[in-house]
């Protein structure tokens, strides 16, 4: 996946998250993110990655995001790992 494709998916994830009345406060509480951050940091790849990290914490969120935004469920993880700040987990 190219960084441009990953950014597109991340921007769609931000769009989806902002519309989620029940999930958005969880993200904001967990990250300390403020409403203004969505306007000022939307283009920041680290912020985009944090949104994808958050969505990837719950399979139901991934499925909901993908269904609502016409994104393949198998594209979310590769998108996250195409953005800066992702680390491959070590299963040892």
């Amino acid at each position: 996946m190219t960084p441009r494709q990953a950014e597109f998916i991340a921007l769609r994830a931000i769009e989806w998250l902002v519309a989620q009345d029940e999930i958005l406060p969880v993200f904001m509480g967990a990250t300390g993110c403020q409403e203004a951050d969505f306007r000022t940091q939307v283009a920041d790849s680290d912020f985009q990655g944090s949104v994808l990290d958050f969505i990837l914490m719950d399979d139901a969120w991934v499925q909901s995001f993908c269904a609502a935004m016409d994104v393949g469920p198998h594209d979310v993880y590769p998108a996250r790992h195409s953005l800066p700040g992702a680390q491959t987990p070590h299963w040892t």
Side-chain angles (χ1 to χ4, degrees), residues 24-69:
L24 180 61
V26 177
F27 174 79
M28 294 175 78
T31 62
C33 178
Q34 301 295 315
E35 186 177 322
D37 295 330
F38 283 92
R39 289 186 288 277
T40 61
Q41 296 185 29
V42 71
D44 181 82
S45 58
D46 288 328
F47 182 73
Q48 294 170 359
S50 71
V51 171
L52 290 178
D53 282 336
F54 178 77
I55 291 171
L56 283 163
M57 290 182 359
D58 189 305
D59 289 341
W61 296 344
V62 172
Q63 293 299 322
S64 178
F65 158 61
C66 291
M69 304 308 278

Side-chain angles (χ1 to χ4, degrees), residues 1 52 56 72-82 86-89 91:
M1 175 167 299
L52 290 178
L56 283 163
H74 297 289
D75 292 334
V76 181
Y77 187 79
R80 174 58 190 113
H81 284 275
S82 294
Q87 295 181 356
T88 303
W91 304 106

